[in-house]
Each structure stands twice: as structure tokens, then as C-alpha cells.
């Protein structure tokens, strides 16, 4: 199987403006990796293993592929306008600033516990359920409105990585589903997609906490099971819903989630080693994982190289991911 860069006519129709990055995808097939020293560079810890995985996925065909992606600092940039970009949860500002302060206090208490080396996983899960539950309670108690969400997104320091829209375009043309997993709020992610990408994609679904608003646009409850940072995986597929084009759109029941389980080859995108758990609950055949190492590279690179098949560095754009998935879908031998 050749791993040469594919010809332009295999890329999405709107790629006329696409300029290939300096790095060649053929690097993925090289048995010798160059030292990591460029601001735009990536690394492949085991090129032969990646070669084998691409061949297996290509052999099964695009109809067996699904993409699982984290949202914050994976699809979105880690750094925006020279400062740390906001997360989909962190950008939210309620009309009553008292409740913003209360949610910040919860963050300062629970966030260190989430990453504590002395707490066991089960204890952490209970704490995360507690944290998320209290936060959701404050959002309802503080009278969050959908207008506040729209304004919060409009004012937020958040942006998608270059190439995300083109990646979604390509996957939509190939009829490959994308599951965006997030422990945040689906309604905010949808609004970010509307305002920043200015379009929807029929193949994209969000697995996240979803709000219920009354006729006045005020939050009254949350729908379904609570999804937090330690349980966002394919066991939560019953929470998956298409991206709503407009606020208030109703979910139409489908059997898509059962069909997803038959797509047993996975491209997983995440910015934390814990994101590898997003495919838990799926009995997959082959998984290619791409890790976005956005900061603290010197101290974290060895960990990421042990965990991921491909590691993209320094808040990299999506161009190399597009070339990777193009190779996965190619009919060339």
C-alpha cells in the first residue's frame, strides 16, 4: 500500500483554496522519524503500526469508519489571539454575575480533585457527578436564558482550528459520521458551530449535556443522563443528537445510533490521554488515535507518544488529519 500524498481530486469539492502544508503525509510511512523541532510539526511514534492500521481500515471501506472527536482544545484552538482560548463551558456568562462567581468557586474546588494523583477513579467519578450536578443547578437557579448563550458565544474568545470545516465537508461527502463528545453543554457547542462555522453538517452528532428551555427561552431542566469528564464515551450514545440548525428544533428519533455500532473502525481525535476512553463501549476492530499536544510539550511528549498513533504539536491545524482520513478512505492500493 502506498502512503503517498493523494491527488487533489480526492479532496472535498470546496478545496480549491486549500494549500498543502509544508510537511508531507509520506512522513507517516517513514521508519525513521526526524527530531521534533518545528512549530508546525507532528510525530508518529510507530510508523509501521500506523501503516498497518491504515491498510486494515482502507480494506474494510469508508462504510465501516466513524470519527470520534473531543471538542474543547481538539476541534477548537488552545490559543486564540495570543491568549488561552475559552472552553465551551467556560465561556458561558449568566445575566446574574453572582452565579458566574458561584460556578467559578466550584471550579476552583473540584478541578484540582479531577487531576489529583491520590484519588481513585471511582471517587473521582462521584466528585465529578457532584460538581456537574451543582453547576447545572446554578444554571437553572440563576435563570439562564438562550439569549445569554448566544451573547456569551458572540463575546467568547473561541475559534475552530484551521481545516475543521474542510474536514467535516470531506467526511460528509464520504458519508462518515462524526460524534463530538463533550462533558460541556450541547446547546453551547451548537451555538459555537452556528456562529463560527455558519453552517451545519448532516453527519455530525453531539454527545453532551443538553438543556431544556421553556417557551420564554429560559432553562428549566436537563435532558437524559449527566455526562461529565470521566464518563464521556460510547456508553452514552443514547444522548447523541444531530446538530440543530435553529434553537428549539426537535430531535427526530432515528436508528442511527445502532448503525454507528456497526462502524467498527475509528478515527479518534483528542487533546488529553483521557480522551482515548471516548471509544469505550464500542467493540471496534481498528482505531487510529490522533493527539493534539497544545502546550507543555517537553514534559508531555513522551506520554502522548505512548498513547497516540499520531501526535500534532503546538496547536496544529487539521490539514494532516484531513490527509490521514483521505488515505483511510482511498480505494488506491
Amino acid at each position: 500500500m502506498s502512503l503517498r500524498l493523494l491527488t487533489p481530486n480526492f479532496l472535498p469539492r470546496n478545496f480549491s483554496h486549500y494549500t498543502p502544508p509544508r510537511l508531507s503525509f509520506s512522513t507517516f510511512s517513514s521508519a525513521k522519524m526526524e527530531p521534533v523541532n518545528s512549530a508546525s510539526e507532528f510525530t508518529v511514534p510507530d510508523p509501521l503500526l500506523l501503516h498497518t492500521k491504515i491498510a486494515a481500515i482502507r480494506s474494510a471501506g469508508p462504510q465501516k469508519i466513524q470519527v470520534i472527536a473531543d471538542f474543547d482544545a481538539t476541534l477548537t484552538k488552545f490559543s486564540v489571539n495570543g491568549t488561552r482560548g475559552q472552553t465551551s463551558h467556560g465561556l458561558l456568562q449568566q445575566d446574574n454575575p453572582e452565579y458566574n462567581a458561584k460556578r467559578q468557586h466550584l471550579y476552583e474546588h473540584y478541578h484540582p480533585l479531577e487531576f489529583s494523583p491520590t484519588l481513585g477513579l471511582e471517587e473521582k467519578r462521584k466528585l465529578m457527578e457532584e460538581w456537574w450536578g451543582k453547576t447545572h443547578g446554578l444554571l437553572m437557579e440563576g435563570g439562564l436564558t438562550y439569549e445569554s448563550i448566544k451573547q456569551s458565544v458572540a463575546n467568547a474568545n473561541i475559534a475552530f482550528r484551521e481545516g475543521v470545516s474542510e474536514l467535516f465537508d470531506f467526511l460528509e461527502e464520504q458519508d462518515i459520521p462524526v460524534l463530538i463528545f463533550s462533558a460541556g453543554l450541547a446547546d453551547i457547542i451548537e451555538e459555537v458551530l452556528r456562529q463560527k462555522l455558519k453552517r451545519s453538517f448532516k453527519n455530525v452528532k453531539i454527545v453532551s449535556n443538553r438543556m431544556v428551555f421553556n417557551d420564554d427561552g429560559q432553562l428549566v431542566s436537563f435532558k437524559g443522563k449527566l455526562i461529565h469528564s470521566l464518563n464521556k464515551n460510547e456508553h452514552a450514545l443514547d444522548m447523541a443528537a444531530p446538530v440543530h440548525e435553529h434553537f428549539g428544533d426537535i430531535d427526530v428519533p432515528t436508528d442511527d445510533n445502532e448503525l454507528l455500532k456497526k462502524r467498527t473502525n475509528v478515527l479518534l481525535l483528542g487533546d488529553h490521554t483521557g480522551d482515548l476512553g471516548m471509544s469505550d463501549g464500542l467493540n471496534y476492530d481498528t482505531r487510529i488515535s490522533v493527539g493534539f499536544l497544545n502546550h507543555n510539550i517537553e514534559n508531555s511528549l513522551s506520554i502522548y507518544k505512548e498513547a497516540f498513533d499520531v501526535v500534532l504539536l503546538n496547536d496544529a491545524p487539521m490539514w494532516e488529519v484531513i490527509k490521514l482520513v483521505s488515505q483511510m478512505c482511498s480505494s488506491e492500493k
Side-chain angles (χ1 to χ4, degrees), residues 113-186:
L113 299 176
E114 180 181 2
F115 296 97
S116 170
T118 61
L119 296 176
L121 183 58
E122 285 306 312
E123 186 175 0
K124 284 184 178 183
R125 282 177 177 153
K126 291 178 182 178
L127 288 168
M128 294 305 100
E129 289 177 10
E130 190 177 282
W131 180 11
W132 261 252
K134 288 179 179 179
T135 297
H136 290 181
L138 288 174
L139 293 175
M140 289 185 287
E141 183 184 331
L144 179 68
T145 64
Y146 195 77
E147 282 303 312
S148 295
I149 291 177
K150 290 173 65 176
Q151 194 60 46
S152 293
V153 172
N155 296 334
N157 190 42
I158 190 170
F160 285 99
R161 294 178 189 270
E162 292 86 353
V164 165
S165 182
E166 289 85 351
L167 174 64
F168 285 177
D169 272 331
F170 177 77
L171 294 169
E172 186 176 58
E173 289 182 7
Q174 297 294 314
D175 199 26
I176 295 173
V178 179
L179 286 178
I180 299 175
F181 280 80
S182 175
L185 299 164

Side-chain angles (χ1 to χ4, degrees), residues 7-249:
T7 54
N9 61 6
F10 191 73
L11 295 172
R13 289 187 298 269
N14 65 347
F15 257 47
S16 58
H17 65 283
Y18 172 69
T19 301
R22 178 180 61 82
L23 294 172
S24 169
F25 187 81
S26 61
T27 306
F28 286 177
S29 65
S30 172
K32 288 182 63 179
M33 293 302 302
E34 294 298 318
V36 176
N37 53 26
S38 169
S40 62
E41 207 159 1
F42 62 87
T43 181
V44 179
D46 190 337
L48 294 179
L49 177 61
L50 180 59
H51 181 111
T52 301
K53 288 184 175 184
I54 292 173
I57 293 175
R58 175 184 284 183
S59 177
Q63 71 278 5
K64 298 291 287 184
I65 300 173
Q66 65 171 293
V67 175
I68 300 174
D70 175 52
F71 187 76
D72 293 310
T74 297
L75 296 178
T76 62
K77 293 181 177 181
F78 180 82
S79 178
V80 182
N81 299 323
T83 62
R84 175 69 170 92
Q86 290 179 292
T87 65
S88 56
H89 220 301
L91 64 81
L92 182 60
Q93 296 295 306
Q94 295 175 251
D95 292 332
N96 188 336
E98 175 187 352
Y99 286 91
N100 295 326
K102 288 181 177 180
R103 287 189 291 114
Q104 179 63 26
H105 179 73
L106 290 176
Y107 174 86
E108 291 169 358
H109 173 72
Y110 284 102
H111 186 257
L113 299 176
E114 180 181 2
F115 296 97
S116 170
T118 61
L119 296 176
L121 183 58
E122 285 306 312
E123 186 175 0
K124 284 184 178 183
R125 282 177 177 153
K126 291 178 182 178
L127 288 168
M128 294 305 100
E129 289 177 10
E130 190 177 282
W131 180 11
W132 261 252
K134 288 179 179 179
T135 297
H136 290 181
L138 288 174
L139 293 175
M140 289 185 287
E141 183 184 331
L144 179 68
T145 64
Y146 195 77
E147 282 303 312
S148 295
I149 291 177
K150 290 173 65 176
Q151 194 60 46
S152 293
V153 172
N155 296 334
N157 190 42
I158 190 170
F160 285 99
R161 294 178 189 270
E162 292 86 353
V164 165
S165 182
E166 289 85 351
L167 174 64
F168 285 177
D169 272 331
F170 177 77
L171 294 169
E172 186 176 58
E173 289 182 7
Q174 297 294 314
D175 199 26
I176 295 173
V178 179
L179 286 178
I180 299 175
F181 280 80
S182 175
L185 299 164
D187 306 82
I188 294 178
I189 293 172
E190 287 184 346
E191 190 61 30
V192 174
L193 287 164
R194 292 189 198 106
Q195 292 193 25
K196 304 301 181 181
L197 296 185
K198 302 186 185 303
R199 59 160 296 186
S200 61
F201 298 87
K202 69 179 187 300
N203 60 322
V204 175
K205 286 191 171 186
I206 299 174
V207 182
S208 188
N209 298 292
R210 193 167 288 276
M211 301 175 177
V212 178
F213 296 87
N214 62 20
D215 292 339
D216 296 323
Q218 183 169 326
L219 175 64
V220 293
S221 65
F222 284 81
K223 183 188 300 184
K225 68 177 69 172
L226 186 149
I227 300 176
H228 55 75
S229 58
L230 298 181
N231 73 344
K232 58 172 189 177
N233 55 50
E234 293 224 1
H235 289 299
L237 262 182
D238 56 322
M239 293 287 289
V243 176
H244 298 148
E245 292 192 24
H246 308 284
F247 166 63
D249 286 353

Side-chain angles (χ1 to χ4, degrees), residues 279-295:
S279 57
D280 289 353
L282 175 67
N283 187 24
Y284 60 81
D285 295 324
T286 305
R287 182 186 73 180
I288 294 176
S289 57
V290 178
F292 291 83
L293 180 50
N294 299 306
H295 68 119

